[in-house]
Amino acid sequence: MGRDISKCSRAELQECKAELDRRYAGYVAENLKLDMSRGKPSGSQLDLTNPVLNKLENYITCDGIDARNYGGLEGIPEARRLFSDLLGIDVDKIIVGGNSSLNLMYDAMMRLYVFGTGGHTPWRKLPAVKFLCPSPGYDRHFLVCEDLGIEMIPVPMTENGPDMDMVEKLVAEDDAIKGIWCVPLYSNPQGVCYSDETVDRLAAMKTAAPDFRIFWDNAYGVHHIYRECKLKDIFGACEAAGNPNRVLYFFSTSKITFPGAGVALVASSAENLKEIRKHMSVQTIGHDKLNQLRTVRYLKDAEGVRRHMRLLADELRPKFDIVLNTLERELAGTGLACWTKPLGGYFVSVDVPDGCAKAVVALAQQAGVKLTGAGAAFPYKKDPRDRNIRIAPTYPTCEELQKAMELFCVCVKLAGVNKLLESK
Amino acid sequence: MGRDISKCSRAELQECKAELDRRYAGYVAENLKLDMSRGKPSGSQLDLTNPVLNKLENYITCDGIDARNYGGLEGIPEARRLFSDLLGIDVDKIIVGGNSSLNLMYDAMMRLYVFGTGGHTPWRKLPAVKFLCPSPGYDRHFLVCEDLGIEMIPVPMTENGPDMDMVEKLVAEDDAIKGIWCVPLYSNPQGVCYSDETVDRLAAMKTAAPDFRIFWDNAYGVHHIYRECKLKDIFGACEAAGNPNRVLYFFSTSKITFPGAGVALVASSAENLKEIRKHMSVQTIGHDKLNQLRTVRYLKDAEGVRRHMRLLADELRPKFDIVLNTLERELAGTGLACWTKPLGGYFVSVDVPDGCAKAVVALAQQAGVKLTGAGAAFPYKKDPRDRNIRIAPTYPTCEELQKAMELFCVCVKLAGVNKLLESK
């Protein structure tokens, strides 16, 4: 436990600052060049997946289709089956697409915006469309809303998911609220796992908008690192609650095999899929079936995915250890930071003193360590308290990460001390 | 040269019909099951590209990027360079995307519809948006317009491209006309190559709509079979005419390497690309760079593509010979059909007597040969004269194709004779 810096006298703070300035200068002198800004796997993590690059010996799918040729909008049967088994989703609900679940989400939002759903007014024709954005959250989700001029309403996160009291109140009152972004397992950036109660309440809540949609981005659905969180079946919960069309479910192998060269899926009710297929079949003749085949041939089946994810967890665990241990050693008890201890996923979320996040990111940047921009995890990039920073530990090597985390902690303390000195 | 059936007496027609009915029944008895409905390559054509399936030994791009990881919205440099060399387009104008140029076209249309371009009113906010559709044309282009409720205006094709007198008149008069679909080389389905004059007139014509766009789908840009048609540089022509932002250029390797597993590109002016990137960067983190690398490693360079296309031409030429020779032998001089003799591309377009196309397709279908639906090559699938049929000879084997073409000719004659008998 460090000294509680927030309780120091001015003289103690100045002493502290002198020491931190020295340490910081030491890092600057090292000319570091490290990137912790995005959730990118490292080269050695990617190496674990290299068999996907092997020659594709057989290009005939299990139903006898030549995957080299046109067709197959819904994806090859073996891919649909694998993801069905892995995620517990009916095969019939799944369309396996191209390389990007973000692309599937963007296009899904675009279809709701342009065409509407279920005979309701297309969102583009409404005076206002709003989306609930549990925050901190995934910046690229928020950019999709921003691109279409959809107003974003931040909702605080709790350890069980979004603040459901607030969510229920908002969606019941305002029919302009058309949906919510969710990363239900190991959420980006906090690593929160939605509780069964959260899933049930999302599925069952009364929404003023009849065409309310949950964008269920299960990006880290199999990304257990320390222990496995179980996620309640959202489809089952929605069906039980009489809201079978409420969910659009997304998943991808971007963080299982290769980012940008994996396969993504959208899953939804028969009624929603019918609408999706109608427009998707105009947009494309089909997605890359050879890459679907490559991916499935490597992963083999649901158990094969879980086996592969254990390899990745072994690769990532030491990195999460470094992040969490360094935070603990350097910042615990200082009164300058609190952070999440995720059981899986790709990120650790750190809250520094109010008004200090931008300063911390700038300090780290000046010393050669690129962090995710402060505020990135909030709608419009505006962290109302300027305190949240996302740590993405996957890309650097362990050695780089150790150094970067030590620097990060120095930056947090330095920014905190500066802030305290200002206010004394 | 056959007998001119259109000039036969009723008795001669009845005799003719009896003979045709016998031949037709013979085909029906064979229980054929052949598909000439889509422009799909055959298995043996695809085999020519199998080296693309080989192990990807090296996944580092020419600028040192690990193609297994995230990033690179514009495509890997070696892919952009290859297509730049091949098509004579500035590298800076090119974004190499995913597996489908149709997808790039759909998304481009969607952006114009939702966001507009150059500060002009987004098309979704206009009371009417119209597109010129040179017809017969590519059915999937027309479906894009239909999906978005864009009104389609058919424009007749000539041997030099769309009827430019009509095009110029229409676009000058009506500011609701926002664009035109073009397949400028070996057009689908007629195999028409746009003349230099057509290119120049498209580039220079005065349009009432300031945000008029040419969707330039050069799908068959390197698909020479008998002889190479040269296509004038549309970008150069547009720039020379002071309309640098008029063109959205599309291309793909779907009919070079593997359909649905190749790479596609969109090319446009710096100003247009800036808009495209703005939204595309929200839609996706990047396209499949490993597949771009696979494709470029196989094709190597522009000359490599041309070499590969000569292999494909050798594969396709016998099929086009079968189609053209059988049409000549069975239908020349009968007064019942005329057809195009394309120098490249993927199709042959046959005009049968007015009001007979649907009947021909139905007769062929009943005898086990699936043709492209009659009318498919026209907006709203409505061939005003019900006379056009697209022959797609690439998928069947030569033996199958020979049989299918003989049946086709019998169907044309039978439908023609039936029609003549009705009217006598």
Side-chain angles (χ1 to χ4, degrees), chain A residues 171-175 177 202 204-212 246:
Chain A
V171 300
E173 283 171 358
D174 188 352
D175 69 357
I177 298 177
L202 283 165
M205 65 191 181
K206 294 261 176 290
T207 64
D211 50 354
F212 183 92
R246 184 170 283 183

Side-chain angles (χ1 to χ4, degrees), chain A residues 41 47 50 53 55-56 68-70 99 103 106-107 113 115 124 147 255 259-261 279 283 286 288 294, chain B residues 41 47 50 53 55-56 68-70 99 103 106-107 113 115 124 147 255 259-260 279 283 286 288 294:
Chain A
D47 287 346
N50 273 353
L53 301 171
K55 181 173 180 181
L56 189 63
R68 300 173 303 173
N69 220 325
Y70 279 119
N99 73 322
N103 201 325
Y106 184 92
D107 289 0
Y113 183 80
F115 305 112
R124 71 187 155 95
D147 199 47
K255 289 187 174 83
H279 300 292
Q283 186 178 26
D288 185 342
R294 242 178 233 118
Chain B
D47 288 346
N50 275 352
L53 300 171
K55 180 172 180 181
L56 190 61
R68 300 172 305 174
N69 220 325
Y70 279 120
N99 73 321
N103 200 326
Y106 184 91
D107 289 359
Y113 184 79
F115 305 112
R124 71 187 155 96
D147 200 47
K255 289 186 174 85
H279 300 292
Q283 186 179 26
D288 184 344
R294 244 178 230 115

Side-chain angles (χ1 to χ4, degrees), chain A residues 47-118:
Chain A
D47 287 346
L48 297 171
T49 308
N50 273 353
V52 175
L53 301 171
N54 286 350
K55 181 173 180 181
L56 189 63
E57 296 281 355
N58 177 346
Y59 37 76
I60 306 298
T61 65
C62 63
D63 59 345
I65 300 297
D66 187 336
R68 300 173 303 173
N69 220 325
Y70 279 119
L73 186 68
E74 291 164 352
I76 61 173
E78 46 266 71
R80 298 174 79 198
R81 189 168 317 142
L82 184 153
F83 292 118
S84 167
D85 291 345
L86 183 67
L87 303 170
I89 302 173
D90 292 347
V91 164
D92 293 344
K93 284 199 171 73
I94 296 174
I95 293 179
V96 181
N99 73 322
S100 163
S101 55
L102 179 64
N103 201 325
L104 290 173
M105 292 178 227
Y106 184 92
D107 289 0
M109 189 71 86
M110 190 60 105
R111 281 187 296 267
L112 290 163
Y113 183 80
V114 169
F115 305 112
T117 181

